[in-house]
């Protein structure tokens, strides 16, 4: 009887079907596919304000911008100072800024006596030399009425947070602050402060910084 039952069981299997012991084990389940590397950032739109190497000035549509102050850092710090960064003028031109602590600051000379109503923008042309984890990009300023404070500051309209090796022109619209309303245009500006990165290790070559007069159309671009 037992032999007959075994024979029937074997006959019940389809012809050619493998025995359970002959079926190979399924391969282990694979984890999720590795994420594709980040796609490169799209190119920035053309900047209407340019640095003219021949004339050594900033221009808009071929016309030199009216300028209250222009710092080129030709072999000199030009009285700029920093809290938290090392500063070094570069022989070929520009100011090397290396952040040694988080939230390092770069300060202009003081007593600039800028007519905020007439000169409504700050331009910073720079190249990122070293990457960093966190960008800031804020600009602060001082007047007789107040020092450096988050109550009066703004961010660049364009050119913010360059990647390593990229040169950008950061355009700050000081007539339309993120915080502070019309304080800039109603004041005489004594000093500037720039916060590039908000973390340690980042590095920049600052080519030029200028305080200029811009027509409104030059600032009507989407923020970056």
């Amino acid at each position: 009887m037992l032999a007959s039952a075994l024979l029937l069981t074997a006959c019940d299997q389809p012809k050619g079907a493998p025995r359970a012991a002959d079926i190979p084990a399924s391969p282990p389940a694979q984890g999720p596919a590795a994420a594709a590397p980040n796609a490169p950032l799209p190119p920035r739109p053309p900047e209407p304000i340019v640095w003219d190497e021949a004339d050594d000035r900033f221009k808009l549509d071929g016309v030199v911008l009216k300028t209250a102050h222009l710092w080129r850092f030709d072999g000199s710090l030009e009285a700029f100072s920093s809290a938290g960064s090392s500063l070094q003028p570069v022989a070929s031109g520009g100011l090397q800024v290396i952040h040694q602590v988080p939230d390092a600051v770069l300060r202009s000379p003081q007593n600039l006596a800028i007519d905020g109503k007439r000169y409504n923008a700050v331009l910073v042309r720079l190249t990122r030399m070293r990457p960093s984890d966190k960008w800031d990009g804020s600009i602060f300023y001082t007047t007789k009425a107040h020092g450096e404070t988050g109550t009066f500051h703004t961010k660049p309209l364009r050119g913010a947070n360059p990647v390593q090796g990229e040169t950008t022109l950061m355009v700050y619209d000081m007539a339309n602050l993120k915080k502070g309303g019309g304080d800039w245009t109603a004041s005489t500006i004594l000093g500037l402060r720039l916060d590039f990165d908000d973390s340690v290790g980042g590095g920049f070559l600052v080519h030029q910084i200028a305080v200029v007069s811009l027509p409104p159309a030059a600032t009507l671009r989407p923020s970056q």
Side-chain angles (χ1 to χ4, degrees):
M1 293 289 292
L2 178 59
S4 299
L6 291 173
L7 179 61
L8 288 172
T9 302
C11 292
D12 287 341
Q13 296 186 18
K15 187 176 181 180
R19 294 176 299 170
D22 296 332
I23 299 174
S26 299
Q30 299 294 322
N38 292 333
L41 295 174
R44 298 179 190 265
E47 171 56 54
I49 304 167
V50 299
W51 174 254
D52 189 309
E53 294 285 355
D55 288 344
D56 218 22
R57 298 291 294 274
F58 284 107
K59 290 185 176 182
L60 173 64
D61 297 329
V63 178
V64 173
L65 292 171
K66 294 179 180 178
T67 304
H69 290 276
L70 171 60
W71 296 280
R72 301 178 182 86
F73 307 106
D74 292 329
S76 167
L77 298 181
E78 299 215 43
F80 272 70
S81 62
S82 176
S85 292
S86 65
L87 303 181
Q88 180 67 44
V90 177
S92 57
L95 179 66
Q96 178 180 278
V97 181
I98 305 297
H99 287 8
Q100 297 175 323
V101 301
D103 199 24
V105 305
L106 179 66
R107 288 189 176 94
S108 75
Q110 301 302 300
N111 300 316
L112 298 178
I114 299 166
D115 181 352
K117 185 175 183 179
R118 182 178 181 188
Y119 297 100
N120 59 356
V122 176
L123 308 178
V124 181
R125 182 170 171 263
L126 79 173
T127 302
R128 180 179 283 279
M129 300 170 60
R130 297 184 183 181
S132 178
D133 292 333
K134 189 176 181 182
W135 168 255
D136 184 349
S138 297
I139 188 170
F140 303 83
Y141 62 95
T142 59
T143 70
K144 288 183 178 179
H146 65 78
E148 298 168 357
T149 169
T151 307
F152 303 100
H153 83 282
T154 197
K155 300 270 190 174
L157 285 176
R158 303 186 298 277
N161 197 14
V163 299
Q164 188 168 359
E166 182 185 19
T167 299
T168 67
L169 178 61
M170 297 199 296
V171 180
Y172 292 89
D173 180 5
M174 305 307 294
N176 296 283
L177 303 172
K178 281 192 173 293
K179 287 190 177 180
D183 181 74
W184 173 282
T185 56
S187 303
T188 298
I189 311 304
L190 301 181
L192 306 175
R193 166 185 152 186
L194 289 158
D195 293 11
F196 295 146
D197 282 337
D198 204 17
S199 54
V200 69
F204 300 87
L205 179 61
V206 181
H207 302 285
Q208 299 91 20
I209 299 175
V211 184
V212 302
S213 176
L214 282 183
T219 60
L220 294 179
R221 300 289 193 281
S223 300
Q224 293 183 359

